[in-house]
């Protein structure tokens, strides 16, 4: 199973980007997909997650109201629409996938996820 993240880049504060995470090698019916990020010198942190069976979403407080996670089951792809970007959103963004019966309380936890993409750089700067 491979996860391929794309869509990162340089954007000015207040701008928007849409990240994509395409899965290949396997299609699963359950589990969840998530985005995490890691800024220089900081630990990796949770951003957003979506559970496949009911499309339940969870967001970090820092991105609520600005970021939206969604999925396209036919394409086995998950998206992260990022609006009103701030300099503090600058980080490498990683997508992740869990193939099990994901419970809501575990959706924001790194250890929940079995597969990880390679990361895509997002830089917010004027």
């Amino acid at each position: 199973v491979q996860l391929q993240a794309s869509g990162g880049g340089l954007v000015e504060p207040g701008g928007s980007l849409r990240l994509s995470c395409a899965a290949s090698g396997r299609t699963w019916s359950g589990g969840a997909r998530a985005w995490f990020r890691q800024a220089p010198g900081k630990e990796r942190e949770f951003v957003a997650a979506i559970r496949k069976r009911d499309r339940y979403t969870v967001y970090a407080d820092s991105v609520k109201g600005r970021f939206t996670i969604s999925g396209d089951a036919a394409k086995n792809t998950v998206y992260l629409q990022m609006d009103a970007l701030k300099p503090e959103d600058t980080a490498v963004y990683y997508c992740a996938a869990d193939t099990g019966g994901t419970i809501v309380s575990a959706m924001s936890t790194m250890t929940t996820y079995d597969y990880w993409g390679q990361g895509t750089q997002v830089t917010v700067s004027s």
Side-chain angles (χ1 to χ4, degrees):
V1 176
Q2 289 188 326
L3 300 177
Q4 181 70 41
S6 61
L10 173 64
V11 63
E12 292 186 349
S16 298
L17 281 175
R18 189 176 82 153
L19 305 184
S20 299
C21 177
S24 61
R26 174 182 173 180
T27 300
W28 54 82
S29 60
R33 301 278 285 276
W35 289 94
F36 289 78
R37 66 186 182 187
Q38 187 166 17
K42 295 187 177 181
E43 294 186 352
R44 192 171 297 188
E45 64 176 6
F46 170 75
V47 176
I50 184 167
R51 189 164 63 182
K52 191 165 184 178
R53 64 178 175 85
D54 56 4
R55 314 199 70 73
Y56 189 92
T57 57
V58 178
Y59 294 92
D61 288 343
S62 59
V63 306
K64 277 181 183 176
R66 300 188 299 121
F67 290 11
T68 303
I69 189 169
S70 62
D72 185 330
K75 296 181 178 179
N76 213 359
T77 299
V78 171
Y79 305 98
L80 184 68
Q81 177 66 41
M82 304 186 295
D83 298 318
L85 282 161
K86 304 175 181 180
E88 51 263 44
D89 294 318
T90 296
V92 177
Y93 283 70
Y94 297 91
C95 61
D98 169 39
T99 59
T102 315
I103 59 174
V104 171
S105 62
M107 288 174 66
S108 60
T109 304
M110 284 181 57
T111 54
T112 294
Y113 298 92
D114 307 307
Y115 301 97
W116 290 82
Q118 86 289 1
T120 184
Q121 175 71 46
V122 172
T123 303
V124 184
S125 175
S126 54

